[in-house]
Amino acid sequence: MKYILVFLLLFSQQSIFSQKKTAIQSAEITFTFVSEEVNGSISGFESTSNIDLNDIANSNFKGSVTVTTIDTGNSFRNWSLKRGKYFAAKKHPKISFESTSISPTKNGFLVEGQLTIKATTKPITINFTRTDTSLTGTTTLFSSDYGINVIKKGRE
């Protein structure tokens, strides 16, 4: 199943572009399960990231979200996703990311790193764009790469 993550990282009221380094104050993380046409969000964001927009390669992104906060707007689906067949929230309560390299692009930067879901760690690249006091990052992944397989009857 194709899964698209969108990260919106918000910073303190002071302009991040005038500071040497800044920490991520909060993040809004949304996703789309493309094959199921389901949108949702996940929260419980924690981060020890440091961003230096004057020297982006000298930055690091490291953070996690809490699996039990998955919200798709459907309480039965949320409950099901948190269970063992999908995200196994009791056994794997966090989804985490840590950057391995960051490089500038025309409108922002690319962050390469390791994404861990359900004790499976895979490399992933997040494309960030800058606007005012926020950064928006997008990436695409396949949930099956992380042991999350959704097969409905009649689609096998």
Side-chain angles (χ1 to χ4, degrees):
M1 170 175 17
K2 195 173 186 180
Y3 181 60
I4 298 175
L5 291 173
V6 177
F7 304 90
L8 177 60
L9 303 177
L10 305 173
F11 299 89
S12 61
Q13 292 179 347
Q14 298 174 346
S15 173
I16 60 171
F17 305 112
S18 64
Q19 298 177 17
K20 181 71 175 157
K21 274 197 172 187
T22 189
I24 298 172
Q25 300 297 315
S26 64
E28 176 183 319
I29 300 172
T30 61
F31 59 84
T32 300
F33 285 102
V34 174
S35 62
E36 301 298 317
E37 298 180 5
V38 172
N39 296 314
S41 64
I42 189 164
S43 55
F45 176 76
E46 296 176 356
S47 174
T48 58
S49 305
N50 283 298
I51 301 170
D52 183 346
L53 292 172
N54 296 318
D55 182 12
I56 199 65
N58 191 28
S59 300
N60 73 317
F61 283 77
K62 184 176 182 179
S64 65
V65 291
T66 307
V67 173
T68 58
T69 65
I70 289 175
D71 184 8
T72 63
N74 178 313
S75 60
F76 180 73
R77 182 187 301 124
N78 297 344
W79 173 81
S80 181
L81 287 171
K82 296 171 193 177
R83 299 192 40 97
K85 181 179 177 185
Y86 299 108
F87 286 94
K90 285 184 180 178
K91 187 173 181 181
H92 306 287
K94 300 278 185 181
I95 295 173
S96 61
F97 176 81
E98 184 169 358
S99 62
T100 56
S101 70
I102 303 172
S103 55
T105 63
K106 182 178 178 183
N107 297 320
F109 49 92
L110 288 178
V111 178
E112 294 181 23
Q114 299 290 316
L115 179 67
T116 302
I117 302 174
K118 282 182 69 175
T120 299
T121 302
K122 300 269 184 183
I124 196 161
T125 301
I126 304 171
N127 183 24
F128 281 93
T129 54
R130 293 172 30 169
T131 57
D132 297 328
T133 60
S134 67
L135 297 169
T136 301
T138 57
T139 192
T140 301
L141 60 94
F142 290 89
S143 60
S144 58
D145 290 345
Y146 296 89
I148 302 168
N149 298 300
V150 177
I151 299 175
K152 289 186 174 182
K153 291 181 180 180
R155 288 191 181 179
E156 301 162 278

